[in-house]
Structures are given as structure tokens and as C-alpha cells.
Amino acid sequence: MPTSLFPHVRLRRLRKTPALRDLVRENAVTMNDLILPIFVEEGIDDPVPVDSMPGIVRIPEKNLAKEIKGIYADGVKAVMLFCVSHKKDAVGSDAWKPDGVLARVIKRAKDAAPELVVIADTCFCEYTDHGHCGVVREGQVDNDATLVNLARQAVNSAQAGADIIAPSAMMDGQIAALRQGLDDAGFTDMPLMAYSTKFASAFYGPFRAAAGCELKGDRKAYQMDPFNGREALRESMLDEAEGADFLMVKPGLPYLDILSKLREATLLPLVAYQVSGEYAMIKFAAAAGAFDEKRIVRETLGAFKRAGADLILSYFARDIAREGF
Ligand code: PBG
């Protein structure tokens, strides 16, 4: 408890001027903290706008080099890559083909801007015809069969030049399986950014249109129940034990309690994902005149930092790069 109270204590003393407020500001967001998710589609000539995410497009594969150069020139330092495959099948085999869209897109991105960190989202929902994140057997995603395929996908992404592998399928044991698979293929230095605590969230709605992975049903048999907090910590702690190099909480804003508790529980770098639905809420509310978009974006990014995030995945990352924080 403070030893002295009002009128001796006046917290407004340090809020008087912008310079004073800057001096006592506890958190900052820089371009070193932001990762831009991008969507790349094969076989299209023009960018395809994502209606539920104003300002976001699916980038045609053939324009990728130019787009990546622009993103890097604007000041973005890392991208999370999502591909829209035209060669979907029951298991998502396009994802582990050396000439598949994923491998091609990673290569093109790295060639266009070698210094840009390319993070490969590692999952199957963009590559399966049913839209689930793995191999379906008797109406369920088969955990262990999917692990084998995730390792193949990760090695394919590593061979194509990815800088970080980011598994988002929410299979049990996926970090251990990927670590083993990558190590066996000689990629002992490849970092794993685990989507370690990922909820079965309605906030992913716009993403599914953006990435072309709408599904019948839901992902509740593998992604987490949004009502569970203790289990959320277990998920991340297990990924740490399996060898993850980063942990993540996803979605972001509705789950700051998890982020903050996880900050206390781990020394690993922590990532928050401000997901598609969070982006859409801000865009549509700002378009309706409900609030100032630029200020809201900064307030939300600052909140992730305050809660304990080191890194933030945000569709606003390029705007911040252009405008400054
Ligand atoms: C793939 C994946 C999803 C997102 C990131 N990776 C969709 C899902 O799990 O349904 C969502 C990202 C967003 O909503 O911005 N598994």
C-alpha cells in the first residue's frame, strides 16, 4: 500500500504533458515486434479482395515477388504465410510436394527479400478438400496420422527456405513430432513457433474465407474450448516441454488473461495473434464511424504488449510500418 495518499499523491502529475507521459510509458510497439499474415493464391491473375476483411487481398502467386518487395520496403520484418491451394485432396498432400504451392511461394518470397523472415504456417486446412486440419478417419481428425504428414510439410517448407515453422493444427504431440522430423532431415536449427494455445474460436470466421478453408462442422475436437483457462496453460506448457521455441495465444484480445498468466509461467518468447475477426471488428466499426481506427489499432497492439506478448501477429502490421506507431 502507498505510505502517503492524496493530497500528497497525485497521479496526474506525470500525465501533464506529452513529454512526461512519454517518459513514464511502460510499453512500446516497434516493427521488431510485428508479424504480417499474408494470403497467396495460385492460378489467379488479379488480387482477390477478402470482403470480410476490408483492405486484405489474396495475392496472386505471380505477383508475389513484387508484393513481398513492397512489404519489406515499407518496413515489415516478418510475414506469416498462408497459401490458397487449387490442388486440395483428402490428406492435403500439396503441402509436402516440393513443387506444390507452399514450397513455391516460400522460395519466391525468400528470393524476393532474403532478409524478410518467412514463417510457414504449418497445417492442412488450406490443402484438404474437407477443410479439416488433418487426416479424417471415421469422422474425426486422426491425430497420429496427421503428425506424420505435418512433419513432411515442415521438412518441405524448410527445404524451400522457410525461416520459422509455425504449426497451427492443434494435434497432440505436434511439436515433438516436428522437432524430430526436422532434426532427422538435418534442420536442427529450424525454430518452431507453436500455435500452442489455440481456441476453437468464432473469431476465425473471416480467415476461412480469406484462406479458402471453409469447412462443414467445426474444429472443437482439436482446438480448445474458449471457456477453459487452466487447460490453456497446459497446452502451452506441454509445447514448451516438447521443444517449442516460441509460444502463442490465439485469438488475442479476448484471451489477454491467458497471455498474462502464460507470461508468468514461461521464459520463452510469447506471441499474440490478433486474428481475422478482431481485424474485421475494428475495420467495420471504424467504417461505421464508431471510433478512430488508427487509435484503436495502437491501443489494441499496446494491450498485447502490456499483457506480456513479445511478438504480435497483426493484419495491421503494414499500416504501422507505413504510418509509424
Ligand atoms: C489454420 C489457421 C487458422 C488461422 C490461422 N491458422 C484458421 C483456423 O484454425 O480455423 C486463423 C487466423 C485468423 O483468423 O486470422 N489452422
Side-chain angles (χ1 to χ4, degrees):
M1 283 297 290
T3 52
S4 160
L5 294 173
F6 182 83
H8 310 291
V9 175
R10 291 177 184 270
L11 294 183
R12 287 184 54 182
R13 279 178 204 134
L14 298 181
R15 295 177 196 156
K16 264 189 314 202
T17 64
L20 275 175
R21 294 195 289 274
D22 283 350
L23 280 177
V24 297
R25 175 165 276 194
E26 298 175 25
N27 291 288
V29 178
T30 76
M31 289 315 294
N32 292 334
D33 309 319
L34 296 176
I35 302 165
L36 176 71
I38 58 169
F39 302 99
V40 185
E41 180 163 6
E42 63 180 327
I44 56 169
D45 291 327
D46 300 309
V48 178
V50 181
D51 293 338
S52 54
M53 299 179 74
I56 302 293
V57 298
R58 294 184 186 174
I59 303 163
E61 182 185 356
K62 57 165 86 152
N63 296 0
L64 184 66
K66 187 164 164 270
E67 202 50 37
I68 284 284
K69 287 192 171 108
I71 286 168
Y72 185 65
D74 280 345
V76 172
K77 296 191 172 186
V79 293
M80 177 71 84
L81 190 65
F82 297 102
C83 293
V84 184
S85 170
H86 288 192
K87 303 214 175 60
K88 297 180 195 246
D89 63 20
V91 292
S93 64
D94 197 39
W96 66 73
K97 300 226 164 94
D99 58 351
V101 64
L102 173 62
R104 294 196 313 268
V105 162
I106 291 171
K107 272 193 212 110
R108 281 178 199 255
K110 285 305 295 179
D111 286 348
E115 304 299 317
L116 181 73
V117 175
V118 172
I119 308 174
D121 180 83
T122 301
C123 190
F124 283 105
C125 51
E126 301 134 72
Y127 306 96
T128 53
D129 47 21
H130 44 71
H132 275 292
C133 299
V135 180
V136 176
R137 283 206 182 121
E138 287 157 19
Q140 290 281 340
V141 174
D142 183 317
N143 192 85
D144 299 14
T146 302
L147 291 182
V148 176
N149 293 346
L150 280 169
R152 297 162 108 177
Q153 179 181 160
V155 169
N156 188 34
S157 295
Q159 281 165 346
D163 295 296
I164 299 177
I165 301 295
S168 64
M170 284 298 279
M171 296 301 118
D172 285 328
Q174 65 183 11
I175 296 302
L178 290 189
R179 187 69 275 156
Q180 186 73 52
L182 287 164
D183 287 359
D184 289 350
F187 294 103
T188 52
D189 285 338
M190 177 62 68
L192 288 173
M193 178 180 283
Y195 283 74
S196 51
T197 297
K198 178 170 172 183
F199 291 91
S201 172
F203 280 98
Y204 309 149
F207 173 93
R208 293 189 184 161
C213 57
E214 289 96 345
L215 81 164
K216 291 190 199 73
D218 58 52
R219 305 197 200 287
K220 291 179 187 170
Y222 39 107
Q223 298 181 350
M224 267 203 60
D225 183 348
F227 292 83
N228 292 358
R230 296 192 307 269
E231 186 190 356
L233 297 181
R234 285 187 82 197
E235 276 286 3
S236 276
M237 299 318 286
L238 283 170
D239 279 7
E240 173 163 5
E242 288 178 24
D245 299 287
F246 302 80
L247 299 177
M248 189 192 299
V249 176
K250 173 179 175 213
L253 220 52
Y255 298 92
L256 289 184
D257 58 324
I258 309 297
L259 195 61
S260 153
K261 285 183 187 145
L262 194 53
R263 179 70 294 164
E264 306 287 314
T266 184
L267 299 175
L268 292 189
L270 266 185
V271 190
Y273 199 142
Q274 182 177 48
V275 301
S276 56
E278 297 175 69
Y279 175 86
M281 285 201 306
I282 292 176
K283 279 288 183 185
F284 288 119
F291 52 49
D292 177 329
E293 176 179 321
K294 288 195 164 81
R295 288 185 57 204
I296 287 283
V297 169
R298 283 152 186 79
E299 186 172 329
T300 56
L301 297 178
F304 293 126
K305 280 294 202 175
R306 192 192 64 239
D310 298 293
L311 301 174
I312 306 160
L313 277 146
S314 173
Y315 299 95
F316 294 108
R318 194 173 183 180
D319 293 347
I320 300 287
R322 285 181 176 144
E323 297 159 6
F325 189 75

